[in-house]
Amino acid sequence: MRMVTDDPIRLRAELQTFPPYIPGRAPADVAGLTPFRLSSNENHLDPLPAVLEQLARPGSGPTRYPDDAAVALRRRIGEVFGVSPERTIVTTGASELLVAVTQITSDNRTEAIYPWPSFEMYPQVTGLAGAKRHAVDLLPDGRHDLTAMADAVTDSTGLVFLCSPNNPTGPVLTHAELTAFLARVPPHVVVALDEAYWEFATDPDAARGLELLDSHPNLVLMRTFSKAHGLAGMRVGYAIAHESVIAGLLKAVIPFGVTEVSQAAALVSLDQHDEVLARAREIAAQRDAFADALRAQGWSVPQAQGNFVWLPLGEWSDAFEIAASRQALAVRNLGAGVRISVGPQEALDRVLDVTAAFLEEHPDLPL
């Protein structure tokens, strides 16, 4: 029989170099107030009726594996976005894509570059791969510093993450910026453009990654059905990229990861793509009105192009999170600031009450 010792279990040293991903908190229960979770960038609108109808239909049963290749869904993605199915892949949310694209590009001999603050999984997935990480600070207005990011590329760089609209700060990359950046990046370096919120972007100059795929085979577009489609619980993401990159990703993703139910719901939602985009514009209009109301109170709010706004509170982030919690509101405290998802109008009105009171209580708050 083996002796139990006090020696720690041997885990990879890289695990000590980055924090775990921490989901958005649930709202606190406060008597007399409806709780609202504005911490996870979920779609607050009801699901499309056609999607609900599909979810109510019986499937093939839990004893059968789903279509591992997601043939029907990949074909429809190709039809909607004008690419061949061979240039697409379907995964268990965009999160699996982040892991897979890192696995096929990165190890302890490579470097990875990403903007910061941005999506919290970038340091996690690149750190787990053992890559040397280079987090490039955003510009003061919350935008990517693409000049600094391009300057950071070395012979060892294997992967660059971009995020447009940037989560959590909100601004998009412009098409001119992305084009110029790709021209500076060596063609062997994979540039993964995280477009989880692309449907909400209303800036006419926003980057159009699809137009750049043919001229830049190292570009990967990563998207999701979790946000604008309102299918966060279904866990469906997808990428559009060059066939050689897709072939690599297919080797790195989990077999049979996307269930039959999830594939069917995503397919029906994609068949309603015009309605999905119209609903995204509805949320964008709410976002713009909310951001304008915050600015009218005196807050400095970066360009908001996702389904959220960013308050760069810095050291006051904890205090603001507590103030929101007392009003049954869960917001996302990321240390450098607080991200607030667009929710029902009642929730946004209550946030505005909290922000107004917070400014009154903290008159010296630098904005």
Side-chain angles (χ1 to χ4, degrees), residues 200-253:
F200 301 105
T202 53
D203 186 337
D205 295 325
R208 302 180 299 278
L210 279 170
E211 296 180 10
L212 300 172
L213 284 173
D214 288 339
S215 56
H216 296 281
N218 58 329
L219 178 62
V220 181
L221 306 183
M222 301 186 299
R223 297 178 171 185
T224 183
F225 284 87
S226 294
K227 307 303 181 182
H229 288 266
L231 296 177
M234 295 287 99
R235 309 309 301 130
V236 187
Y238 65 100
I240 304 175
H242 190 269
E243 289 89 338
S244 61
V245 177
I246 295 297
L249 290 171
L250 287 169
K251 295 180 180 181
V253 297

Side-chain angles (χ1 to χ4, degrees), residues 58-317:
S60 62
T63 62
R64 302 293 182 184
Y65 285 114
D67 175 12
D68 183 47
V71 171
L73 183 53
R74 290 173 70 187
R75 183 184 300 120
R76 190 71 182 111
I77 290 170
E79 290 170 352
V80 170
F81 298 110
V83 298
S84 70
E86 291 74 26
R87 301 187 74 176
T88 69
I89 186 173
V90 172
T91 61
T92 52
S95 298
E96 187 186 13
L97 272 176
L98 295 176
V99 176
V101 77
T102 305
Q103 287 182 324
I104 68 172
T105 59
S106 305
D107 57 29
N108 59 9
R109 300 165 297 177
T110 67
E111 298 176 355
I113 300 169
Y114 49 84
W116 199 254
S118 196
F119 187 39
E120 296 159 277
M121 281 193 70
Y122 300 158
Q124 180 183 23
V125 296
T126 53
L128 192 58
K132 180 180 178 181
R133 283 159 290 157
H134 192 150
V136 178
D137 290 340
L138 299 175
L139 296 169
D141 60 0
R143 301 176 60 85
H144 287 42
D145 188 343
L146 289 178
T147 298
M149 293 185 73
D151 290 343
V153 174
T154 71
D155 291 340
S156 298
T157 303
L159 175 64
V160 178
F161 279 122
L162 304 176
C163 190
S164 180
N166 186 54
N167 172 24
T169 58
V172 292
L173 299 172
T174 69
H175 194 69
E177 287 173 334
L178 179 59
T179 302
F181 178 78
L182 290 171
R184 290 195 59 192
V185 175
H188 67 272
V189 175
V190 169
V191 177
L193 177 57
D194 186 344
E195 294 186 314
Y197 304 93
W198 73 272
E199 295 97 334
F200 301 105
T202 53
D203 186 337
D205 295 325
R208 302 180 299 278
L210 279 170
E211 296 180 10
L212 300 172
L213 284 173
D214 288 339
S215 56
H216 296 281
N218 58 329
L219 178 62
V220 181
L221 306 183
M222 301 186 299
R223 297 178 171 185
T224 183
F225 284 87
S226 294
K227 307 303 181 182
H229 288 266
L231 296 177
M234 295 287 99
R235 309 309 301 130
V236 187
Y238 65 100
I240 304 175
H242 190 269
E243 289 89 338
S244 61
V245 177
I246 295 297
L249 290 171
L250 287 169
K251 295 180 180 181
V253 297
I254 301 170
F256 306 110
V258 185
T259 68
E260 178 190 356
V261 172
S262 296
Q263 291 184 39
L267 186 58
V268 169
S269 190
L270 203 52
D271 286 340
Q272 310 290 317
H273 196 238
D274 288 345
E275 189 170 351
V276 169
L277 292 178
R279 286 154 56 94
R281 295 296 180 268
E282 179 182 337
I283 291 173
Q286 271 190 295
R287 171 203 70 206
D288 291 344
F290 181 44
D292 286 345
L294 288 167
R295 295 183 183 111
Q297 288 183 351
W299 291 93
S300 175
V301 180
Q303 180 200 45
Q305 289 288 292
N307 65 335
F308 53 86
V309 300
W310 173 249
L311 299 182
L313 280 155
E315 63 184 284
W316 288 272
S317 298

